[in-house]
Amino acid sequence: MMPSEMAALEQDDSDGIYKELPLHDDNNDTSTTTHPHPPPQPMEESHTRSFVKGLTWRILATSTTTLIAWIITGQVDAALEIGLLEFVAKLVLYYLHERLWTQIRI
């Protein structure tokens, strides 16, 4: 899309419909396109959301690590120990990583 074709959305308070408004009016065209839904807003990353995301990922990743450790060692106890250590360490690291990224503006 060319910069001259870019548009902004403005909500009409009377009907809740968003209208596309041209940013550059090169040919004095005043037509608009309506959108029934507002544009999606970025998800805010809360402490709870970061923790739940980390937990669900860790369950999947730890299951994989434990299975691989069992295949390599042939010992269930060793595989479970490796999996437990990996689960705790990486859950904490993931949470800290997520919280750090909430401070970075790119």
Side-chain angles (χ1 to χ4, degrees):
M1 179 181 292
M2 300 294 294
S4 62
E5 297 171 330
M6 293 175 63
L9 294 177
E10 180 179 274
Q11 184 176 10
D12 181 350
D13 290 330
S14 64
D15 59 8
I17 300 293
Y18 284 76
K19 296 181 180 174
E20 191 173 313
L21 304 174
L23 292 177
H24 301 285
D25 193 6
D26 294 337
N27 59 3
N28 293 328
D29 181 9
T30 58
S31 65
T32 61
T33 305
T34 59
H35 299 274
H37 303 289
Q41 298 298 315
M43 179 66 71
E44 198 170 306
E45 197 65 35
S46 68
H47 291 276
T48 302
R49 181 176 166 80
S50 294
F51 180 79
V52 171
K53 283 172 56 181
L55 182 64
T56 58
W57 171 247
R58 287 294 4 120
I59 291 168
L60 178 63
T62 298
S63 298
T64 304
T65 299
T66 303
L67 178 62
I68 292 169
W70 179 48
I71 291 168
I72 291 172
T73 66
Q75 299 175 11
V76 173
D77 290 346
L80 291 174
E81 287 180 33
I82 291 168
L84 180 62
L85 179 61
E86 184 257 2
F87 180 87
V88 173
K90 290 186 178 177
L91 177 62
V92 170
L93 288 173
Y94 179 83
Y95 177 79
L96 294 173
H97 177 261
E98 282 286 317
R99 298 315 306 161
L100 176 66
W101 270 98
T102 64
Q103 305 303 311
I104 298 172
R105 304 287 177 231
I106 298 179

